[in-house]
Amino acid sequence: MLLNRVYSRFSLLSITHNLPLSPPQIPKTCFLRFHRRNPTKPMKSSVVSRFSNLAPLCSFAEKSAVNPNGSVEGEGEDNSSLPNGYRLPPKEIRDIVDAPPLPLLSFSPHRDKILFLKRRSLPPLSDLARPEEKLAGVRIDGSYNARSRMSFYTGIGIHSLSDDGTLGPETEVHGFPDGAKINFVSWSRDGRHLSFSIRVDEEDNSSKLRVWVADVESGKARPLFQSPDIYLNAIFDNYTWIDSSTLLVCTIPLSRGAPPKKPLVPSGPKIQSNEQQNIIQVRTFQDLLKDEYDEDLFDYYATSQLVLASLDGTMKPIGPPAVYTSLDPSPDENYLLVTSIHRPYSFIVPCGRFPKKVELWTTDGKFVREICDLPLAEDIPIAFNSVRKGKRSINWRADKPSTIYWVETQDGGDAKVEASPRDIVYMQSAEPADGEEPEVLHKLDLRYGGISWCDDSLALVYESWYKTRRTRTWVISPDNKEVNPRILFDRSSEDVYSDPGSPMLRRTPSGTYVIAKIKRQDKGGYLLLNGNGATPEGNIPFLDLFDINTGSKERIWESNKEKYYETVVALMSDYNDGELDMDQLKILTSKESKTENTQYSVQIWPEKKAFQITKFPHPYPQLASLQKEMIRYQRKDGVQLTATLYLPPGYNPSKDGPLPCLVWSYPGEFKSKDAAGQVRGSPNEFAGIGPTSPLLWLARGFAILSGPTIPIIGEGDEEANDRYVEQLVASAEAAVEEVIRRGVAHPNKIAIGGHSYGAFMTANLLAHAPHLFCCGVARSGAYNRTLTPFGFQNEDRTLWEATNTYVKMSPFMSANKIKKPILLIHGEEDNNSGTLTMQSDRFFNALKGHGALCRLVILPFESHGYSARESILHVLWETDRWLQTYCIDNSDKPVDLDAPKSDTSEDVEKKSFTASGGVPDREGLEQDESHSVTRSLLW
């Protein structure tokens, strides 16, 4: 999903993990880990991070018809279309989108070297047009035998990092073919080598991935395997470092033949049955298996042969071919946790719910024992905090050589079942003695949320419950049962003002991460808590020295709050065992302002002197002097709201008068008014502009109200969505009234827009608050909730449990009320479980059937977010044309804020049923569209 708050141009990559004391819901964003495990492998749930582990933010390389900046060679400055019929937005927008992306960074395990991972701008549409297989919730490029539409790097530069922050000359990694596409970059445990995959597109459009290694000192790269016939299988896990000289690689079996052929005549009808009358409720999943042929094709591409490969060229296949999804070496390098999935498969859930087996092997491939073999999980309840039955979150203790721990639910995995305890955490050595039973580590009454390990005497265990937003952090002594567990923090996850921060972690020589203990003046036992520092004036990040025994804190670092926004990214003095000396503390920090790009510095104690290590240029200097302000205002029910107001460079309200205004937002659910009114974000953050960001229209003279809070609150036993329309309209009214009061927005030239759930919001506001906005732009939305009957977004009641709510919330049911112009945009291959392309098709037909002024743009090959340069530029052209025609040129009468605002809930309900003739038949299901608007960060 492309959102305006994802700073893909200049975000750096992760070097460690700070674990929250009260883990919130994990947003979707992109970063890369740099420790012993595969950099694209998802983090286990034992490591609860603020950001999920997805593929690095980077771009496809352009083909010969496109220059390195992504623009078409020979394209005239004033051309309004591309040769293939796609249109171009105005040059002032195009120049920002085509600005060269900055490299991403990766630090070595010893923090003495930095990689600059180079990338290019937006990919051409031809890259998205490559054939792909949609199997079991996974999209596969069969020619690569990898996930389709993989981003890549174009080069790797290595710099040494001195103690004073200066960078040495660049050593370019070399030796691989020109035009190679680089993926899965990872450091060896000792930092002396890099591993990565290479693919080079051939004329026949078939180029599989090969594993390469490079010497860090010389930059010389070479293939890992001497045989040219050994290829990487990158459908699931791909490779991992076992030690500093050995990798375990998922390869395509040498014995594999051609793909199975689809039979011309099916073997029989497709039959699903529930003659046992089981209750199975699933949200709408996409790209599922459809028949036996799909099952065979999934096995064909996903099956791997594991191979141990040493840097000296020796190799050894281990284990049988199987669909391996995770490879996890023990810290002492003696064992492997090997996870695979197997038949019977399912036609109603994706592969993450297929039968799953976890086995313990030695690192040379000898089977030790089976940890678990979980059955197909089609029946996980849709209620939040429901989980799979059986052992889950199986991991190695980060502070032990080879100790396994896991969690087992006590409520059958159903969040609606009352149980105490609800989860139990167990622990056991890799090879237990005869008769040795698993040890109960901790019992939890909420849902398990992860563990931060430190040593024998300290670990932090997290639990939370979505319905109440309660989150708790326990202090336990893992190897001393005489010490009773105690609650360290018990708070609401929504209360950002009370967030104490996350313990900073240090990297161990074995490549794991544990809580960093700090000693000061010969007294130890301190932790470092790194927090966002949310305040009513905005975030003021901090670093606290925290006494785990007494709970006392001392603030040892805090962001400049007058002009800059600074954050602590990671420890840079974290490699050695034992406690870290406070006087030798070294941290990596970032610093930015409203108009200054993010730069990174190393700060050293006790002087706290900072050495800047990057000098990134401003990515769009034409907007360097844009105006940004975090504003606060109040909803009519007393809820405090916030938004970020952006104004064009040089704009003066008193001299220039009100501007056309674009409001862009995304609703959120809360359990309390106080939490909904808390300020999130900082007024001093750099204004990052992504390729589809609404901030692009600053270059066209618009005022932009970005992210005005649209809280949907359900206090106590009330469900938030029961008053969705009422609260949505009230929040929008308050936002519009505020920008008009400030004199920056022309009353009858205010447009509303959003992506995904923001598109749903946009359509609802045009239906229920037509007095506020002159037009709307809705991208990749879902508009008919009866097509998602088993829950959507954060709604976990079914259509039959909350019929009125589903109907009232659906703008499809109010299509007859939408009189303002609305532009609908959708990717033809949308893979998001909440937003079938059909949703926009049917909504457009409903609008057209009532004579609404509307336009539908379907983007070939695009998914939920848009990737190709042609598609993105066309989306910007469509949006700019819409805003120019129906916002800037709008001559309707001004907004009357005293006019009747919206229908009552009862009226909405009656009119919705009248317009629809009742509840439509169910034609699809939907999974949760949990999207997060989160900035990518270097940790």
Side-chain angles (χ1 to χ4, degrees):
M1 180 179 63
L2 296 177
L3 293 174
N4 61 295
R5 298 292 296 135
V6 177
Y7 290 44
S8 60
R9 292 200 176 282
F10 51 85
S11 60
L12 302 186
L13 299 184
S14 156
I15 61 172
T16 187
H17 308 291
N18 301 327
L19 304 191
L21 289 173
S22 49
Q25 287 186 293
I26 302 176
K28 296 178 181 176
T29 185
C30 302
F31 70 98
L32 187 63
R33 299 182 294 155
F34 295 96
H35 51 87
R36 63 182 178 84
R37 296 193 181 99
N38 189 315
T40 61
K41 175 180 176 181
M43 291 176 64
K44 305 292 187 181
S45 61
S46 62
V47 181
V48 181
S49 135
R50 294 182 191 168
F51 307 94
S52 59
N53 296 272
L54 305 181
L57 278 172
C58 49
S59 302
F60 293 83
E62 309 300 337
K63 297 193 175 180
S64 58
V66 181
N67 72 23
N69 291 341
S71 58
V72 177
E73 298 290 359
E75 177 186 316
E77 293 290 85
D78 296 325
N79 285 358
S80 61
S81 64
L82 294 170
N84 56 8
Y86 284 78
R87 305 300 295 270
L88 293 173
K91 184 177 183 300
E92 53 264 42
I93 288 179
R94 195 165 71 245
D95 286 347
I96 298 173
V97 173
D98 282 340
L102 298 174
L104 308 182
L105 304 188
S106 164
F107 288 77
S108 66
H110 294 281
R111 312 301 190 235
D112 59 344
K113 290 184 172 58
I114 307 177
L115 300 184
F116 278 64
L117 302 171
K118 302 171 185 180
R119 53 199 181 128
R120 292 190 176 182
S121 194
L122 301 171
L125 189 64
S126 56
D127 278 9
L128 272 64
R130 291 176 58 91
E132 62 180 0
E133 303 289 349
K134 301 173 183 177
L135 303 168
V138 179
R139 295 189 172 183
I140 297 171
D141 187 317
S143 298
Y144 292 149
N145 212 103
R147 299 294 180 101
S148 62
R149 308 182 183 196
M150 283 172 46
S151 55
F152 64 86
Y153 305 112
T154 59
I156 305 173
I158 306 172
H159 294 264
S160 61
L161 176 63
S162 64
D163 290 339
D164 63 0
T166 57
L167 298 181
E170 180 176 88
T171 299
E172 187 78 20
V173 175
H174 59 281
F176 48 78
D178 292 339
K181 300 176 179 180
I182 303 169
N183 288 95
F184 311 126
V185 181
S186 181
W187 292 92
S188 65
R189 186 172 297 187
D190 59 8
R192 296 175 58 188
H193 291 88
L194 297 174
S195 58
F196 49 91
S197 71
I198 286 290
R199 54 193 159 110
V200 181
D201 286 336
E202 308 292 346
E203 291 184 1
D204 61 358
N205 207 32
S206 60
S207 173
K208 293 181 174 59
L209 284 70
R210 292 184 172 90
V211 182
W212 283 59
V213 292
D215 178 82
V216 170
E217 288 300 323
S218 67
K220 175 64 178 176
R222 59 179 175 83
L224 175 65
F225 297 104
Q226 296 179 359
S227 170
D229 298 324
I230 299 179
Y231 298 102
L232 182 67
N233 189 334
I235 302 300
F236 293 109
D237 211 346
N238 38 68
Y239 68 81
T240 186
W241 287 91
I242 299 294
D243 54 39
S244 293
S245 61
T246 308
L247 295 97
L248 179 61
V249 185
C250 292
T251 68
I252 298 174
L254 291 173
S255 60
R256 191 179 79 172
K261 292 184 178 180
K262 190 177 182 70
L264 294 177
V265 179
S267 58
K270 301 175 183 178
I271 299 173
Q272 298 185 54
S273 174
N274 190 32
E275 296 180 48
Q276 295 80 21
Q277 295 183 295
N278 296 321
I279 297 177
I280 298 177
Q281 300 177 351
V282 293
R283 298 199 176 198
T284 304
F285 298 110
Q286 298 201 56
D287 302 336
L288 300 177
L289 299 176
K290 299 181 290 296
D291 50 31
E292 292 180 4
Y293 167 73
D294 275 1
E295 291 181 307
D296 293 341
L297 200 60
F298 176 75
D299 277 337
Y300 176 84
Y301 287 116
T303 298
S304 296
Q305 172 63 60
L306 300 183
V307 174
L308 279 173
S310 298
L311 296 181
D312 62 8
T314 61
M315 55 170 284
K316 173 188 174 183
I318 64 171
V323 183
Y324 296 107
T325 59
S326 176
L327 312 172
D328 197 2
S330 61
D332 64 2
E333 306 173 5
N334 291 328
Y335 299 97
L336 290 169
L337 280 176
V338 179
T339 304
S340 60
I341 57 178
H342 60 82
R343 298 197 185 206
Y345 296 152
S346 171
F347 298 150
I348 65 172
V349 295
C351 59
R353 296 192 182 187
F354 287 179
K356 179 170 72 171
K357 182 183 294 185
V358 181
E359 296 178 332
L360 182 68
W361 299 0
T362 62
T363 46
D364 60 358
K366 295 179 180 178
F367 175 83
V368 177
R369 64 187 176 105
E370 182 182 282
I371 305 299
C372 67
D373 190 352
L374 303 178
L376 178 64
E378 290 183 332
D379 59 347
I380 299 176
I382 63 173
F384 286 102
N385 288 125
S386 294
V387 295
R388 192 171 191 161
K389 300 173 186 176
K391 294 180 180 179
R392 69 184 199 276
S393 302
I394 304 169
N395 294 285
W396 297 106
R397 268 185 65 167
D399 63 326
K400 289 290 184 180
S402 54
T403 298
I404 301 170
Y405 71 98
W406 67 90
V407 186
E408 293 187 37
T409 178
Q410 306 301 300
D411 56 13
D414 190 346
K416 293 184 178 180
V417 173
E418 295 296 331
S420 179
R422 190 173 291 276
D423 274 339
I424 297 179
V425 185
Y426 295 93
M427 180 174 63
Q428 192 174 45
S429 59
E431 294 194 67
D434 290 342
E436 180 184 339
E437 294 295 322
E439 178 182 350
V440 174
L441 182 66
H442 194 52
K443 297 181 179 181
L444 300 165
D445 283 338
L446 307 181
R447 189 63 80 203
Y448 169 79
I451 300 180
S452 297
W453 298 96
C454 184
D455 52 29
D456 292 350
S457 63
L458 176 64
L460 300 180
V461 184
Y462 312 108
E463 63 175 342
S464 62
W465 198 246
Y466 176 76
K467 280 291 186 182
T468 61
R469 308 302 198 271
R470 189 179 186 186
T471 180
R472 296 195 297 198
T473 303
W474 291 83
V475 178
I476 66 171
S477 182
D479 298 318
N480 187 352
K481 297 305 175 185
E482 295 181 359
V483 178
N484 292 325
R486 60 185 174 89
I487 293 178
L488 185 63
F489 296 107
D490 188 347
R491 48 182 291 272
S492 168
S493 60
E494 291 184 336
D495 182 11
V496 294
Y497 292 170
S498 69
D499 188 350
S502 308
M504 297 204 72
L505 307 181
R506 66 173 178 84
R507 189 182 192 275
T508 68
S510 61
T512 63
Y513 284 85
V514 298
I515 296 173
K517 274 189 174 180
I518 307 297
K519 64 179 179 180
R520 184 181 190 184
Q521 298 174 350
D522 297 326
K523 181 182 177 182
Y526 292 101
L527 309 184
L528 292 173
L529 297 184
N530 181 15
N532 289 327
T535 75
E537 289 72 43
N539 289 355
I540 306 173
F542 63 83
L543 189 64
D544 282 350
L545 192 64
F546 179 70
D547 190 321
I548 192 68
N549 297 313
T550 66
S552 62
K553 301 178 185 179
E554 177 186 347
R555 188 140 299 177
I556 62 173
W557 179 91
E558 188 174 71
S559 171
N560 178 313
K561 56 188 175 184
E562 300 303 323
K563 178 181 178 182
Y564 292 100
Y565 177 72
E566 302 169 289
T567 62
V568 174
V569 179
L571 281 174
M572 298 292 281
S573 53
D574 65 345
Y575 193 75
N576 297 323
D577 276 331
E579 294 183 325
L580 304 178
D581 193 314
M582 182 69 186
D583 288 338
Q584 297 177 358
L585 187 64
K586 184 187 297 186
I587 61 174
L588 182 71
T589 61
S590 68
K591 183 178 182 179
E592 63 194 82
S593 72
K594 299 175 184 179
T595 57
E596 297 174 60
N597 200 358
T598 307
Q599 307 295 348
Y600 293 85
S601 300
V602 174
Q603 195 164 140
I604 302 174
W605 264 251
E607 294 85 3
K608 299 184 183 180
K609 186 175 181 180
F611 301 97
Q612 185 172 320
I613 60 175
T614 61
K615 296 180 181 179
F616 294 133
H618 198 294
Y620 22 87
Q622 61 270 51
L623 293 180
S625 59
L626 63 79
Q627 304 174 53
K628 175 185 176 182
E629 180 183 0
M630 182 177 285
I631 63 175
R632 302 193 67 180
Y633 48 98
Q634 192 175 79
R635 204 164 73 178
K636 63 183 179 182
D637 59 0
V639 176
Q640 291 291 324
L641 305 176
T642 60
T644 304
L645 177 63
Y646 293 90
L647 300 171
Y651 169 71
N652 186 323
S654 60
K655 294 182 179 179
D656 302 323
L659 299 172
C661 178
L662 175 59
V663 179
W664 199 270
S665 192
Y666 191 98
E669 291 80 12
F670 293 87
K671 287 302 295 181
S672 74
K673 292 181 179 180
D674 289 341
Q678 291 183 350
V679 177
R680 293 162 173 81
S682 168
N684 295 324
E685 288 180 274
F686 181 71
I689 303 179
T692 56
S693 168
L695 299 189
L696 290 166
W697 276 271
L698 289 169
R700 298 284 282 164
F702 274 72
I704 309 296
L705 192 66
S706 178
T709 49
I710 310 285
I712 310 299
I713 304 166
E715 294 187 303
D717 295 332
E718 181 185 34
E719 296 291 343
N721 285 338
D722 290 343
R723 295 194 302 118
Y724 174 85
V725 171
E726 173 189 336
Q727 297 190 67
L728 180 72
V729 172
S731 297
E733 287 173 345
V736 168
E737 184 173 7
E738 180 64 18
V739 291
I740 293 175
R741 184 191 67 80
R742 288 172 170 263
V744 298
H746 195 289
N748 62 325
K749 297 184 179 183
I750 301 176
I752 181 68
H755 188 100
S756 193
Y757 205 52
F760 176 76
M761 169 206 72
T762 297
N764 264 311
L765 285 173
L766 292 184
H768 302 297
H771 60 291
L772 296 178
F773 303 105
C774 61
C775 64
V777 178
R779 301 193 311 225
S780 299
Y783 308 103
N784 184 352
R785 289 306 176 188
T786 69
L787 298 179
T788 59
F790 288 106
F792 59 89
Q793 197 71 7
N794 290 324
E795 177 59 65
D796 61 4
R797 295 171 295 176
T798 71
L799 168 64
W800 299 273
E801 294 171 322
T803 304
N804 289 341
T805 298
Y806 274 66
V807 172
K808 287 158 53 179
M809 288 184 67
S810 297
F812 179 87
M813 303 300 183
S814 300
N816 61 319
K817 298 167 59 179
I818 295 180
K819 307 301 181 184
K820 296 298 179 66
I822 182 169
L823 172 64
L824 303 174
I825 301 174
H826 217 119
E828 191 170 27
E829 304 295 330
D830 195 321
N831 65 338
N832 184 61
S833 53
T835 52
L836 298 165
T837 307
M838 173 184 65
Q839 289 271 7
S840 286
D841 284 328
R842 294 193 172 182
F843 188 42
F844 174 73
N845 287 331
L847 292 167
K848 189 171 60 172
H850 289 91
L853 199 168
C854 53
R855 181 177 175 89
L856 173 62
V857 179
I858 300 295
L859 303 169
F861 304 117
E862 293 290 352
S863 186
H864 189 59
Y866 318 138
S867 301
R869 180 175 185 268
E870 294 95 326
S871 301
I872 287 175
L873 293 181
H874 188 83
V875 167
L876 299 178
W877 177 83
E878 292 277 2
T879 305
D880 187 72
R881 170 186 172 273
W882 204 255
L883 294 176
Q884 291 290 325
T885 304
Y886 301 112
C887 184
I888 290 181
D889 297 338
N890 178 48
S891 58
D892 287 351
K893 64 181 180 180
V895 171
D896 181 2
L897 291 171
D898 295 323
K901 302 301 193 294
S902 62
D903 297 314
T904 65
S905 298
E906 183 180 359
D907 290 338
V908 171
E909 178 183 339
K910 290 179 179 177
K911 292 181 180 180
S912 296
F913 274 96
T914 301
S916 64
V919 181
D921 293 335
R922 176 169 61 92
E923 299 188 20
L925 307 176
E926 176 188 11
Q927 188 195 20
D928 173 30
E929 317 166 27
S930 54
H931 299 306
S932 294
V933 186
T934 306
R935 173 180 173 183
S936 299
L937 291 178
L938 169 83
W939 283 12

